[in-house]
Amino acid sequence: MNYNAWFQCSEGCDEKYPLTEIIYQCQKCDGLLEVGHDIEKLQHRSAAAWMSLFDQRYMRTVYPYGSGVWGKKEWVCPNVDDANIVSMYEGGTNLFWAERFGKELGLENLWIKQCGNSHTGSFKDLGMTVLVSMVKQMISESVPIRAVACASTGDTSAALAAYCAAADIPAVVFLPRDKVSHAQLIQPIANGALTLALDTDFDGCMRIVKQVTRTKEIYLANSMNSLRIEGQKTVSIEIVQQFDWEIPDWVIIPGGNLGNVSALGYGFLMMRELGVISKLPRIVCAQSQKANPLYLSYLREFEEFKPLQAQKTLASAIQIGNPVSIWKAIGVLQQFDGIVGQATEDELANAAAWADRTGLFNCPHTGVALAVLIKLVQRGLIRKDNHVVVISTANGLKFPEFKINYHEDKLGREVKPKHRNLPIELPADYDTVMRTLDKQLE
Ligand SMILES: *Cc1c(COP(=O)(O)O)cnc(C)c1O
Ligand SMILES: [Zn+2]
């Protein structure tokens, strides 16, 4: 069966373009594009047959179908030849049953989707595999592309650099100078990307990269490019698959540029269209209080949206004041009885550290989602027996400064760490060690 997908206007115009066209916005209304699929053709296969096909492929060895993204190729990007797929076996990440943390919070069914257990340490790999594969496809069809470029708060650039390096395609990354972690900065450098650190914030980098990619020879890899969204939507499909095709009651997602909230929503909607699920979960978007334009719009029932100047936040990957996917995200939240919450610096740091004490190792963005979860439980909106999934967007190992400074109480005046744990420095002397153990383990 030959499935097909294309770009279409996400704001309702009739415009359609092939996936190999270098275009990111509708030519009629300037709205963002989304990827459209031939749903009728996909419906020829029953929901049960799709589930069994996906289960057969999931985390197995047939390249590239063992990937959590490419195992669902027909729903994601059927147009790319297998030979052009650039995959690092993305997806297949642990859905961690947070039994102890859940208990401490009063929840029986709390799960953390560990999207950071991935090749470059964040969920950005899921979208980047699709985008870079399509670029390879276009290059194989002689479309003149000199390089792929993105603006980034640190994780998009890491993913772009790794996938481009594997495919031998030049990558250019624009980072806000001194606003990403050391680990995030060294990733594109190690992978040989042309790394430009600009004296601005993410929104400033985004403005520049939009201009740079106006010449079609430099292809834009930000989530404005809806190919990324197609890969990221597999997160919701994979979660449902990991629950043996049952949906959770709640999904909590940290949001910055708001591509991921949109993507997860689209994944659930597609499953419903194709009969895999019959209900939708409620979606919660969690923002940092320092960069909360969606939250402010939510308070006014999305009647209006105003971009703002994002303030410095520990959740640096979501320090965004003018999110590109704002209207897609609002559309999704309206269909999923959505909620937007926000977290202060103190709340996000303590939430991350509290959950760390129960065996996790959270990045600050996951901390934002956990802080919002805690508040929704306290408000009685999320109840004891609800099935809740928190999307952990990156691996905590990418943010050592955040972790160390928390335990050393050096995160600044706004954070009062409640879960500090410091090493005890001792002489290498048995008696002193034993005395200390006796005291500490009392
Ligand atoms: C990109 C990113 C986000 C935000 O995702 P958006 O799609 O921009 O909303 C959250 N957390 C981490 C770690 C990220 O890298
Ligand atoms: Zn349009």
Side-chain angles (χ1 to χ4, degrees), residues 176-188:
R177 194 159 69 97
D178 298 331
K179 293 187 177 72
V180 307
S181 76
H182 282 131
Q184 288 173 315
L185 176 61
I186 203 66
Q187 287 182 289

Side-chain angles (χ1 to χ4, degrees), residues 123-124 155 254-260 317-318 365 393-394:
F123 76 84
K124 298 297 199 299
D155 290 327
N257 226 2
L258 305 178
N260 213 28
I318 55 176
H365 323 88
T393 45

Side-chain angles (χ1 to χ4, degrees), residues 116 121-124 152-156 184 202 223 228-229 232 253-263 285-287 315-320 323-325 363-366 391-395 398-399:
S122 86
F123 76 84
K124 298 297 199 299
S152 177
T153 51
D155 290 327
T156 301
Q184 288 173 315
F202 171 81
S223 58
R228 292 248 321 267
I229 305 294
Q232 290 171 208
I253 310 162
N257 226 2
L258 305 178
N260 213 28
V261 171
S262 318
C285 180
Q287 292 211 296
S316 49
I318 55 176
Q319 187 177 323
I320 296 175
V324 163
S325 296
C363 77
H365 323 88
T366 307
I391 305 297
S392 174
T393 45
N395 196 310
K398 283 186 144 195
F399 301 90

Side-chain angles (χ1 to χ4, degrees), residues 210-245:
K210 273 191 189 172
Q211 285 175 300
V212 168
T213 53
R214 245 182 241 149
T215 144
K216 295 196 171 177
E217 292 179 342
I218 301 183
Y219 191 74
L220 176 68
N222 281 95
S223 58
M224 227 185 122
N225 184 327
S226 53
L227 290 170
R228 292 248 321 267
I229 305 294
E230 289 311 286
Q232 290 171 208
K233 88 185 176 194
T234 60
V235 172
S236 37
I237 308 172
E238 189 168 288
I239 289 168
V240 170
Q241 183 174 19
Q242 286 172 309
F243 282 136
D244 287 329
W245 304 103

